[in-house]
Amino acid sequence: MRLSDACHILFLLLPAWAAADVQTVTILTDNGYPPYSYEAGGQAQGIYNDILRAAASRLRGYQIELKPVPWKRGLAEVENGRALALSPPYYRPRERPYMQPYSVPMLNEQVVVYCRAEVLQTPRKRWPDDYRGLRFGNNSGFRPGGDAFWALIGQGQINLEEAADARTNLLKLIRGHLDCYLNDKLAIQLELARLQQQRLYIPGALQEAVGVSEEQGYVGFTDRDQGRFPYKQDFVRQLNQVLGEMKRNGQIDRILNRALDAARTQAVPPSF
């Protein structure tokens, strides 16, 4: 065999060798949490997914596959150890003892309560005591609002109804089936703008009642895989290093600002 032929064969085989050295890591992502994480056209979209894609390009020996799923299904998959990771949970070690470790936080979110305007005719400044007796909406699988809020739910002093996403909860609120709803402020505002554009919401019918907390979104990893993902520790180490660099050099802020500008443009209601 001529040397040139041997070199040509070697060149053709190189991509297969390289691919064999790259581990594909599947991260489940929330399919119903715009603008942060949602599914569109069968693909994982949103700010957190943009961050993870940017991080993936800087990992050594790994490529990331983002798989959008309903939130409660994602939690169940991580809990039983079938899935390695889920994005973007809040840090809830007591409620989710099966989820360890967490990545470094990716973003800060501001959790607020929106209520029907007539509900706020009664002053409700103290959270959560002034909200006893009301019907709250919540995204399935999420536990925002703090321990005192969930204690009142457990005591039956606040009624809770869960739905898959912000749109469903807000429509129930608009139609009077709920009194209040709590979620990330930006997620609520953008969804209300879309509903207004679709003539399903009249501005002012819902009002921001109270700021509840600031939360951070992470990638949460299973600790119940029983060795199914032997690369987990190295992957978490690399991901944390890259996310930390992206925060320090402003790349995460740039991703956030681009995504929010695009989301606001798409959600701007028409003038009548």
Side-chain angles (χ1 to χ4, degrees), residues 32-37 90 109-110 112 114 139 166-167 170 181 183-194 260:
Y33 187 32
Y36 294 105
S37 181
Y90 299 151
E109 302 178 28
Q110 184 181 0
V112 300
Y114 267 67
N139 287 15
R167 179 183 178 86
L170 287 169
Y181 169 58
N183 197 359
D184 170 73
K185 182 174 182 176
L186 182 63
I188 291 176
Q189 290 177 334
L190 290 175
E191 193 57 57
L192 286 178
R194 278 187 282 269
L260 294 185

Side-chain angles (χ1 to χ4, degrees), residues 114-182:
Y114 267 67
C115 300
R116 291 185 290 113
E118 55 266 34
V119 171
L120 296 180
Q121 291 177 2
T122 299
R124 301 184 186 275
K125 297 182 179 180
R126 296 180 304 154
W127 174 259
D129 293 327
D130 288 345
Y131 295 81
R132 299 171 191 262
L134 298 182
R135 299 165 298 171
F136 267 77
N138 181 52
N139 287 15
S140 299
F142 281 81
R143 286 183 63 90
D147 292 343
F149 173 66
W150 286 92
L152 292 178
I153 292 170
Q155 297 162 13
Q157 297 188 52
I158 290 178
N159 297 316
L160 187 75
E161 296 182 18
E162 295 196 323
D165 51 37
R167 179 183 178 86
T168 306
N169 275 301
L170 287 169
L171 284 171
K172 291 171 69 176
L173 187 58
I174 291 166
R175 293 165 181 168
H177 302 308
L178 298 171
D179 297 311
C180 300
Y181 169 58
L182 72 166

